[in-house]
């Protein structure tokens, strides 16, 4: 009995050890005490510093963050989960440090998926390693997209649960689907979870065809019922972030817009979701998804240069440029020529899955007989079509208009996470089918010609693309104009440069085709050696696996190598060292002034937010109203009165003499709150946004007619006063005194989903004022005014999450127990 248990457990233990060793080897600099220098994590630390300081003082995170964009909800920055569960991320990753933990977790989850399909452990190990080390993962980890990586890592775990249910292993499927849903959603990257939902739907439809064909109507009801209930329970424990984020999204750029800003004019608009032009940024050109198999076909990352051996050198030499100068010039030209070459766009590297994996997956789509085949194929094709974005606009505009929630996301290229999961899974299926199935030799004999034809057809297709490609890039025209205007080239010389770049692109694409053919020969060789009985299946898989990992490691190290690590204290000093300007500003005892840093990338940096309440900041989902103000008044020609109404006491600007930052105190800031002499009514957002730019906002408040009932005209009293008496992230208190009714404008961002106003403890209505601020009518007398951030979504989310966490225990532990009990009874029956 003990020997049997050891035999069952040992392969899985070996797999875990392999995952651990490979992950540690790949991330070796971590063992030397270094950390990753991740741009987005540095940005997040700047965003979240105020929240962590608040927690250290009060014992919990605040719900409002005043240090970003003059104030915004803290939901997407730092918020604690509310449930009675252990940190399962630590459990699944064995408490390993980042980024070792990311790769280990992805390996374990994909391996569980393979085990759930009863694939051989050696096949599961190969599939898991290639899934975890697909180049997109090191790329996003290096950038600091950690929530995205976690969501990707948990996708196969959730798919394993669903497939267990679909294959009639109901109890263990119930447990794993519930657990997988909880962990996937808790990763807090809705776009990746959305792509997983597409995979799940495609696979479900494929299974439904089989079930209906076999008249398994009872199983359909049971399977879909269990999956739905498991998903609901898994979602319930995440209702706190779901409810708050859903509510918040309505007020962000992803919720649509009410105005259209064109130059100095503002027009009314009415959209839901992102504009197509914004949503389709980072689209891939038609042939570019081939980088999943041919990583260098499009020049790898945007920062990759052509190099000194570029064909551009010969072109420039023929134009009379000295060879040394030509080589130096060509070395700095961009090698990348894919679809993400427009202004402000780029890519860190290709989402390379592995040539061998792609080749095996294509073979699998032809020869594997399994309900998964069509689901995986459909999801893969859809993911590729979605990645084309603006390069396949008719189809993708249709999705943007009619596919629920799809218009909340941008960066179509990200949809290749779909084949990142489906292709390694198909590759694992075909390896098991051809090498380890009880009829594997028979399968090979029946399908060997199909395999030859498939790879021949793939080669022919690549050759046709090579011949038909014009090797143009979306950035060629802008590069040409830059060469003429900035480099002093004439039109002929600029055209020669572009021509040389096209020749380079043709060479790199053709070289990658030859590389792919080499891998096809390797795959065919392993199959032929197995057919001839020269090698065992396990040897064939081991050879393919080793070659796969060497191939991936070579590419991966370009995007997450030793140069990406540095000592933790050095990173902290580099990112957040306090300057003399910071120290000068922090001497101000006022608790609520704001700082506008114009010396850097003012709306894409969080260093200022680390120390101060910033006008700018760094966040992927800003409030729509605030973004409108930025676009109209702060992004190009800064309007000083807008800065004044935002209580900007300090401006950091670049010294025109030496371009170094310098401090400019602003004595004209309006303060925390002020009383106006009159209210000017406007009809809509467009008129309001335009009006605040031509109005003396110190004396006049601009309010829409819809709020007129709560915004009475004030009776000016020169002796009236309002003063901030307490500032807390979630609570602001003011003292007020006047002999006549007044209207106060508060220099705090308007956000209707949770901020409540109270006068002497009684809740009152406040209004949207000056487009982005809050206004309040106050009766005569002496009053205490309080604003409290107490969103109902947060309260409901906490309650549901607590209940859901208890249900998680019941479903997960109960499901595993019932699976064990059922299996025990079955074994006992067999023995009897």
């Amino acid at each position: 009995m003990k020997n049997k248990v050891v035999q069952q457990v040992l392969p899985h233990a070996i797999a875990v050890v392999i995952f651990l060793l490979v992950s540690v080897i790949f991330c070796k600099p971590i063992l030397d005490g270094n950390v990753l220098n991740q741009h987005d994590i540095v940005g997040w630390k700047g965003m979240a510093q105020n929240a962590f300081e608040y927690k250290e003082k009060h014992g919990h995170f605040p719900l409002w963050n005043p240090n970003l964009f003059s104030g915004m909800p803290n939901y997407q920055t730092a918020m604690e989960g509310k449930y009675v569960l252990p940190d399962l991320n630590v459990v699944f990753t064995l408490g390993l440090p980042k980024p070792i933990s990311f790769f280990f977790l992805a390996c374990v989850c994909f391996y569980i998926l393979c085990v759930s399909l009863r694939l051989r452990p050696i096949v599961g190990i190969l599939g898991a390693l290639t899934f975890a080390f697909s180049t997109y993962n090191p790329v996003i980890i290096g950038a600091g997209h950690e929530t995205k990586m976690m969501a990707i890592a948990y996708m196969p775990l959730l798919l394993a649960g669903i497939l267990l249910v679909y294959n009639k292993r109901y109890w263990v499927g119930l447990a794993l689907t519930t657990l997988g849903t909880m962990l996937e959603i808790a990763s807090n990257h809705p776009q990746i979870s959305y792509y997983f939902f597409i995979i799940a739907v495609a696979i479900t439809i494929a299974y439904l065809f089989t079930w209906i064909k076999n008249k398994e109507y009872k199983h359909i009801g049971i399977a879909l019922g269990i999956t739905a209930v498991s998903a609901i329970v898994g979602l319930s424990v995440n209702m706190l972030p779901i409810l708050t984020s859903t509510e918040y999204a309505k007020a962000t750029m992803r919720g649509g817009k009410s105005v259209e800003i064109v130059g100095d004019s503002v027009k009314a608009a009415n959209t839901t979701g992102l504009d197509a032009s914004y949503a389709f940024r980072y689209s891939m050109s038609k042939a570019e998804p081939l980088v999943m198999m041919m990583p260098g076909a499009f020049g790898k990352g945007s920062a990759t240069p052509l190099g000194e051996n570029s064909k551009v050198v010969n072109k420039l030499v023929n134009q009379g440029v000295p060879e040394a100068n030509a080589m130096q010039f060509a070395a700095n030209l961009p090698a990348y020529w894919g679809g993400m070459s427009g202004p402000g766009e780029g890519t860190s590297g290709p989402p390379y899955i592995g040539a061998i994996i792609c080749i095996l997956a294509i073979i699998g789509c032809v020869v594997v007989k399994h309900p998964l085949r069509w689901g995986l194929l459909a999801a893969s094709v859809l993911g590729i079509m979605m990645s084309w974005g603006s390069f396949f606009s008719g189809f993708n505009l249709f999705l943007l208009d009619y596919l629920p929630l799809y218009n909340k996301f941008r960066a179509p290229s990200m949809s290749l996470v779909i084949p990142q999961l489906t292709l390694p899974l198909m590759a694992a299926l075909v390896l098991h089918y051809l090498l380890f199935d009880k009829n594997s030799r028979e399968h090979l004999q029946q399908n060997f010609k199909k395999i030859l034809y498939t790879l021949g057809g793939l080669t022919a297709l690549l050759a046709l693309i090579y011949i038909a490609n014009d090797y143009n890039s979306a950035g060629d025209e802008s590069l040409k104009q830059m060469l003429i205007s900035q480099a002093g080239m004439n039109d002929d010389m600029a055209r020669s440069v572009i021509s040389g770049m096209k020749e380079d692109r043709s060479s790199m694409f053709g070289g990658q085709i030859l590389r792919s053919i080499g891998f096809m020969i390797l795959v065919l060789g392993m199959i032929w050696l197995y057919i001839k009985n020269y090698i065992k299946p396990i040897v064939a898989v081991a050879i393919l696996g080793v070659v796969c990992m060497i191939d991936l490691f070579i590419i991966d190290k370009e995007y997450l190598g030793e140069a990406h690590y540095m000592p933790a204290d050095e990173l902290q000093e580099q990112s957040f060292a306090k300057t003399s300007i910071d120290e000068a500003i922090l001497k101000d005892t006022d608790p609520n002034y704001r700082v506008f840093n114009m010396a850097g990338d003012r709306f894409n940096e969080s260093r200022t937010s680390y120390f101060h309440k910033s006008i700018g900041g760094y966040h992927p989902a800003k409030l729509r109203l605030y973004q409108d103000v930025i676009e109209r008044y702060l992004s190009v020609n800064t309007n000083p009165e807008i800065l004044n109404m935002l209580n900007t006491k300090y401006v950091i600007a670049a010294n025109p003499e030496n371009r170094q930052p310098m401090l400019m105190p602003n004595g004209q800031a309006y303060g925390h709150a002020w009383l106006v002499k009159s209210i000017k009514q406007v009809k809509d957002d467009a008129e309001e946004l335009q009006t605040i730019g031509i109005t003396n906002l110190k004396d006049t408040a601009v309010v829409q007619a819809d709020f007129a009932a709560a915004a009475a005209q004030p009776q000016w009293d020169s002796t009236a006063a309002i003063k901030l008496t307490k500032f807390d992230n979630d609570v602001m208190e003011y003292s007020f005194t006047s002999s006549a009714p007044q209207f106060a404008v508060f220099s705090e961002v308007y956000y209707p989903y949770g901020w409540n106003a109270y006068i002497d403890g009684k809740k009152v209505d406040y209004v949207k004022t000056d487009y982005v601020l809050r206004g309040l009518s106050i009766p005569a007398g002496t009053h205490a005014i309080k604003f409290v951030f107490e969103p109902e979504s947060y309260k409901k989310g906490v309650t549901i999450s607590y209940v859901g966490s208890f249900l998680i225990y019941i479903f997960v532990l109960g499901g595993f127990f019932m699976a064990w009990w059922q299996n025990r009874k079955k074994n006992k029956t067999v023995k009897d």
Side-chain angles (χ1 to χ4, degrees):
M1 178 64 183
K2 289 183 179 180
N3 289 336
K4 185 177 179 181
V5 172
V6 170
Q7 289 175 358
Q8 290 177 338
V9 173
L10 186 60
H12 307 315
I14 292 173
V16 171
V17 171
I18 290 173
F19 300 151
L20 180 59
L21 287 176
V22 174
S23 300
V24 168
I25 291 170
F26 185 76
C27 306
K28 185 180 177 298
I30 288 293
L31 303 181
D32 300 326
N34 294 316
V35 296
L36 278 173
N37 182 5
Q38 302 163 289
H39 172 269
D40 274 28
I41 294 300
V42 171
W44 170 78
K45 286 182 178 179
M47 291 190 289
Q49 179 64 17
N50 171 267
F52 280 99
E53 290 175 355
Y54 186 97
K55 183 179 180 180
E56 185 176 350
K57 182 178 179 180
H58 299 278
H60 62 88
F61 284 123
L63 300 180
W64 189 258
N65 189 329
N67 283 32
L68 290 171
F69 302 109
S70 300
M72 61 186 292
N74 201 46
Y75 306 144
Q76 298 294 317
T77 305
M79 186 172 70
E80 296 155 310
K82 300 293 182 181
Y83 41 72
V84 290
L85 292 170
D87 189 339
L88 294 176
N89 289 325
V90 174
V91 174
F92 271 90
T93 61
L94 306 181
L96 293 166
K98 303 174 188 176
I100 297 173
S101 58
F102 296 132
F103 295 109
F104 178 77
L105 177 65
C107 285
V108 169
C109 290
F110 195 92
Y111 184 76
I112 291 173
L113 172 59
C114 292
V115 170
S116 72
L117 290 169
R118 303 186 189 278
L119 304 184
R120 286 295 182 91
I122 185 68
V123 173
I125 292 170
L126 170 59
L129 288 171
T130 53
F131 169 75
F133 288 92
S134 293
T135 303
Y136 188 65
N137 295 342
V139 167
I140 62 175
I141 290 171
H145 301 170
E146 293 188 351
T147 59
K148 185 189 295 185
M149 182 63 224
M150 294 295 286
I152 290 172
Y154 280 126
M155 286 198 299
L157 181 69
L158 177 51
L159 183 57
I162 293 172
L163 292 178
L164 285 166
V165 173
Y166 290 178
N167 290 310
K168 302 182 180 180
R169 297 163 70 185
Y170 298 129
W171 287 113
V172 67
L174 170 73
L176 211 54
T177 304
T178 304
L179 181 64
T181 302
M182 184 197 76
L183 293 170
E184 174 63 34
I185 303 302
S187 299
N188 198 26
H189 200 288
Q191 189 165 355
I192 297 299
S193 300
Y194 190 88
Y195 291 141
F196 174 81
F197 178 74
I198 290 173
I199 297 172
V201 169
I203 289 173
T204 300
I205 292 172
Y207 269 92
L208 277 171
F209 275 108
T210 301
W211 295 335
I212 292 171
K213 181 180 177 181
N214 297 332
K215 299 182 179 180
E216 298 181 80
Y217 301 116
K218 180 180 178 181
H219 173 59
I220 292 174
I222 294 173
L224 297 184
I226 290 175
T227 304
V229 171
S230 299
I232 291 170
V233 173
L235 285 168
S236 68
V237 77
N238 291 294
M239 286 310 290
L240 175 56
I242 289 172
L243 290 179
T244 52
S245 297
T246 301
E247 181 179 75
Y248 173 58
K250 293 186 291 185
T252 69
M253 298 166 62
R254 297 167 191 259
K257 62 183 180 181
S258 59
V259 300
E260 182 74 38
I261 301 170
V262 182
D264 291 333
S265 65
V266 181
K267 299 178 181 179
N270 183 20
T271 67
T272 58
L274 296 172
D275 294 339
S277 59
Y278 186 76
F280 287 164
R281 293 195 59 172
Y282 303 96
S283 296
M284 284 187 151
S285 59
K286 287 286 183 66
E288 195 171 356
L290 286 171
V291 296
M292 293 187 292
M293 184 172 68
M294 307 188 319
F298 283 81
K300 298 185 178 178
S302 299
T304 305
L306 276 175
E308 296 179 348
N309 297 321
S310 167
K311 301 293 191 301
V312 174
V313 175
N314 293 335
K315 299 285 184 180
L316 290 177
V317 169
N318 293 336
Q319 292 277 346
V321 178
E323 185 176 2
N325 293 351
M327 291 175 67
Q328 184 179 3
F329 177 80
N332 296 310
L333 289 173
Y336 176 73
W337 58 285
M340 295 173 278
S341 302
E345 293 186 63
T347 176
S348 298
Y352 180 54
I353 296 173
I356 290 175
I357 292 300
C358 291
I359 291 164
L360 288 171
I362 292 169
I363 293 172
C365 290
V366 176
V367 304
V368 169
K369 293 178 173 59
H370 194 286
L372 269 174
R373 173 173 62 165
W374 299 115
L376 296 177
L377 177 60
S380 301
V381 171
L382 182 58
I384 291 170
M385 293 168 67
M386 291 166 70
S387 75
W388 290 334
S390 59
F391 293 94
F392 195 40
S393 58
F395 174 78
N396 283 300
L397 281 172
F398 176 83
L399 295 184
L400 203 68
D401 290 337
Y402 297 104
L403 190 63
L405 301 178
Y406 188 60
N407 61 9
K408 308 300 180 186
F409 308 121
R410 69 167 188 153
S413 58
M414 200 189 302
S415 66
L416 289 190
V417 299
I418 294 175
Q420 182 181 333
L421 173 59
T422 57
L423 295 186
L425 181 54
M426 179 57 80
L429 285 170
V430 75
L431 280 176
H432 182 89
Y433 180 76
L434 294 179
L435 300 179
F436 294 100
D437 189 83
K438 62 181 180 180
N439 298 317
S440 61
R441 290 191 182 277
E442 182 182 331
H443 296 326
L444 275 172
Q445 291 170 359
Q446 290 175 350
N447 293 296
F448 191 70
K449 285 187 178 180
K450 284 185 181 179
I451 295 172
L452 289 175
Y453 295 152
T454 299
L455 297 185
L458 175 60
T459 303
L461 176 62
L462 294 176
L464 285 173
I465 294 173
Y466 173 77
I467 294 168
N469 213 323
D470 58 14
Y471 299 100
N472 287 322
S473 168
D476 283 351
E477 186 58 33
S478 60
L479 176 61
K480 176 188 167 186
Q481 296 304 319
M482 185 190 73
L483 293 174
I484 294 172
S485 62
Q486 297 182 22
M489 293 184 176
N490 58 38
D491 189 72
D492 286 342
M493 187 176 290
R495 288 179 183 276
S496 293
V497 170
I498 301 299
S499 175
M501 294 175 71
K502 289 182 180 180
E503 290 182 23
D504 289 330
R505 295 163 186 171
S506 176
S507 295
M508 68 176 71
F509 196 91
Q512 290 292 299
I513 292 176
L514 294 177
R515 179 181 186 272
S516 299
I517 292 172
F519 281 114
M520 291 182 208
I521 293 171
L522 174 64
V523 171
L524 283 174
M526 291 299 102
I527 293 174
W528 183 82
L529 289 172
Y530 170 65
I531 292 174
K532 295 298 182 179
N533 210 22
Y534 291 135
I535 60 173
K536 298 292 183 183
I538 195 168
V539 174
V541 175
I543 292 172
L544 291 174
V546 170
V547 174
C548 259
M549 292 313 299
I550 292 173
D551 176 34
L552 283 170
F553 265 40
I554 291 172
I555 305 298
D556 290 354
K557 280 295 183 181
E558 296 183 37
Y559 307 103
L560 199 66
E562 292 190 9
H564 292 79
Y565 295 84
M566 63 191 307
D569 56 349
E570 185 179 327
L571 178 60
Q572 178 68 19
E573 180 69 17
Q574 174 183 297
S575 305
F576 300 112
K578 191 180 294 185
T579 67
S580 58
I581 289 178
D582 295 321
E583 291 176 349
I585 295 174
L586 291 170
K587 289 179 181 177
D588 195 323
T589 56
D590 184 327
N592 196 32
Y593 60 85
R594 293 197 180 96
V595 178
F596 188 32
N597 188 349
M598 299 174 61
D601 191 349
R602 60 188 79 174
F603 300 113
N604 197 31
E605 62 88 25
S606 67
R607 190 198 168 281
T608 307
S609 301
Y610 188 89
F611 298 104
H612 316 290
K613 296 177 177 67
S614 177
I615 295 297
Y618 171 85
H619 199 278
K622 296 189 286 291
L623 290 170
R624 178 75 257 180
L625 292 178
Y626 202 82
Q627 178 64 22
D628 293 339
V629 171
I630 288 173
E631 292 178 13
R632 180 65 183 87
Y633 296 113
L634 301 177
S635 62
V636 182
N637 297 317
T638 303
N639 186 312
E641 289 306 303
I642 300 300
L643 292 182
N644 290 338
M645 83 171 192
L646 293 173
N647 194 23
T648 311
K649 287 184 68 175
Y650 300 97
V651 175
I652 302 172
N655 189 317
E657 295 181 0
N658 57 20
R659 306 310 300 169
Q660 294 299 308
M662 65 178 185
L663 181 61
M664 298 168 51
N666 176 29
Q668 304 302 312
Y670 294 167
H672 318 116
W674 62 95
L675 304 174
V676 297
K677 296 178 181 178
S678 64
I679 297 173
K680 182 175 183 178
Q681 287 190 14
V682 292
K683 64 179 181 179
D684 57 18
D685 281 344
E687 186 179 356
E688 185 178 7
L689 181 60
Q690 193 74 329
T691 300
I692 63 172
I694 55 174
T695 302
N696 178 1
L697 300 176
K698 183 69 172 177
D699 292 335
T700 304
V702 181
V703 177
Q704 285 188 38
D706 290 345
F707 293 102
Q713 286 288 346
Q715 299 174 24
W716 178 244
D717 175 6
S718 59
T719 65
I722 186 167
K723 181 181 179 182
L724 178 71
T725 58
K726 176 185 176 182
F727 179 86
D728 177 276
N729 289 43
D730 300 335
V731 180
M732 296 161 197
E733 297 181 4
Y734 305 80
S735 62
F736 168 85
T737 182
S738 174
S739 59
Q742 301 296 317
F743 187 84
V745 180
F746 299 86
S747 186
E748 300 296 339
V749 169
Y750 177 80
Y751 182 72
Y753 305 115
W755 277 109
N756 292 319
Y758 298 87
I759 297 179
D760 299 329
K762 181 180 178 181
K763 187 176 179 181
V764 295
D765 292 332
Y766 66 97
V767 301
K768 174 175 171 283
T769 305
D770 296 345
Y771 197 78
V772 75
L773 302 181
R774 308 172 201 162
L776 180 67
S777 288
I778 310 172
T782 299
H783 302 289
I785 300 167
K786 181 186 290 188
F787 276 90
V788 183
F789 192 45
E790 44 190 1
E792 286 297 320
S793 60
Y794 181 82
K795 297 175 185 177
K796 291 179 182 177
V798 168
T799 301
I800 298 172
S801 293
Y802 269 122
V803 174
S805 62
F806 285 107
L807 291 175
I808 289 287
Y809 276 115
I810 296 170
F811 274 61
V812 175
L813 297 180
F816 283 130
F817 173 79
M818 289 302 298
W820 171 81
W821 181 260
Q822 198 174 62
N823 190 56
R824 184 172 178 271
K825 285 176 62 179
K826 182 179 177 182
N827 291 337
K828 187 176 180 180
T829 302
V830 171
K831 288 180 181 180
D832 292 344

